[in-house]
Amino acid sequence: MGSVGVLILFMVIGAVICAKARVAGGAIAFSLIALVMFIATPVGSGLPDAIGTFVAAFDQAATPALGRTQQAGVAGSGS
């Protein structure tokens, strides 16, 4: 599993080459394979949890604004 970093690098380079050649399908495929390989490594294993935490925090911040509700303890018009 020591060569996974090299394989990820080749996948990123392949995605860039496909993007430069305007081959969208190839660029997407290379990018997805690189992402799956990165998540399979010990360094990238925390990525899904980090994304989930970010999305949950964003949802908590956006829900009151979208629902036009006000959280308790927030000052109204500043008076």
Side-chain angles (χ1 to χ4, degrees):
M1 188 132 163
S3 63
V4 173
V6 175
L7 291 175
I8 293 172
L9 178 65
F10 284 141
M11 291 293 150
V12 171
I13 291 171
V16 169
I17 290 171
C18 286
K20 287 279 193 179
R22 295 186 181 183
V23 181
I28 292 169
F30 275 113
S31 299
L32 288 176
I33 293 170
L35 181 65
V36 168
M37 290 173 62
F38 177 71
I39 290 174
T41 64
V43 173
S45 64
L47 186 64
D49 291 334
I51 292 173
T53 303
F54 174 75
V55 171
F58 186 79
D59 182 47
Q60 288 176 348
T63 299
L66 295 175
R68 297 185 185 262
T69 60
Q70 196 172 28
Q71 294 178 350
V74 177
S77 61
S79 57

